Amino acid sequence: MTRPSPNGQHPAIFLDRDGTLMRDVDYCGDPRYVEVFPGVPQALRRLKEAGFKLVVITNQSGIGRGYFTEAQYREVESELARQIGNTMIDATYFCPDQPGTKSRRRKPSPEMVLEAARDLDLDLPRSLFIGDKAIDIECGHKAGIGTILVQTGYGSRELHCEPDRVARDLPEAAAIILEHRQ
C-alpha cells in the first residue's frame, strides 16, 4: 500500500476523463452517452486500495461553446460516477474555457493539478497523470509529475508527445503504476 509521505500528503493519480475513463463522444452533455471503458472500475479500485487519491482533470469547452450547460456536465459526471463506483473519484476539476481563449486553468496549463494538490494536500512528486492526449502529458510535465499516455481515445494518434510511459488502456496503466510504485 502506498502510504502518505511524512508530512501526511497522499500521492494522486490525475485522470483525464473523455478518451481515458470513458469513450470520447465529442462534447458529451448527455448521460445516455457515457460508456466507461472495460476494466476501468476495477483498475480505479486497485489504485484507490493502493492508497492513491483519484482526481479527474478535464477540459470541457462544450460548456464555453454553448453545446451544453454546466448542469448537463454535472449529469454526465454523475453517470460516470455511477458506472465506475460513486466513491472512486476523490475530486473532479473542470475547465469550461474554449481553446484559444486566455485561460489559466485549461490544459495543458497545470493549474487544475496544482489547485487539486492544494485542496487535497497531495504529494505531487509521487503522483502521476494519465491521459489520451498530448495536452494531458504536457499538463503533467508542467506540474512536475510522471505521465502515462493511454492509447484509448486519441492516444494512438498522439505521436508528438513524450510521456514517461505508454499503456494500451487504463487497466494496463494501473498495472504499470502498481508494479513500479515505491
Side-chain angles (χ1 to χ4, degrees), residues 79-101:
E79 178 59 19
L80 175 65
R82 187 191 70 73
Q83 288 187 30
I84 63 175
N86 286 318
T87 62
M88 283 297 114
I89 302 299
D90 292 291
T92 298
Y93 293 78
F94 74 96
C95 179
D97 301 335
Q98 295 180 47
T101 61

Side-chain angles (χ1 to χ4, degrees), residues 129-150:
F129 198 116
I130 302 173
D132 72 311
K133 293 183 181 171
I135 61 170
D136 300 320
I137 302 310
E138 187 178 345
C139 177
H141 287 165
K142 286 180 175 181
I145 61 178
T147 59
I148 299 177
L149 178 73
V150 290

Side-chain angles (χ1 to χ4, degrees), residues 41-119:
Q42 298 83 354
L44 294 175
R45 188 174 310 107
R46 290 179 62 212
L47 291 167
K48 191 125 176 123
E49 288 171 354
F52 289 97
K53 297 286 185 182
L54 302 178
V55 181
V56 173
I57 303 290
T58 181
N59 287 342
Q60 292 296 320
S61 70
I63 298 169
R65 296 171 195 256
Y67 297 162
F68 53 88
T69 66
E70 185 174 334
Q72 290 170 305
Y73 161 77
R74 298 278 183 205
E75 290 174 12
V76 169
E77 184 179 38
S78 292
E79 178 59 19
L80 175 65
R82 187 191 70 73
Q83 288 187 30
I84 63 175
N86 286 318
T87 62
M88 283 297 114
I89 302 299
D90 292 291
T92 298
Y93 293 78
F94 74 96
C95 179
D97 301 335
Q98 295 180 47
T101 61
K102 189 173 181 178
S103 175
R104 289 185 53 240
R105 297 181 78 232
R106 184 173 171 75
K107 291 183 293 183
S109 165
E111 188 56 38
M112 289 189 284
V113 170
L114 300 176
E115 185 180 332
R118 288 187 300 269
D119 292 349

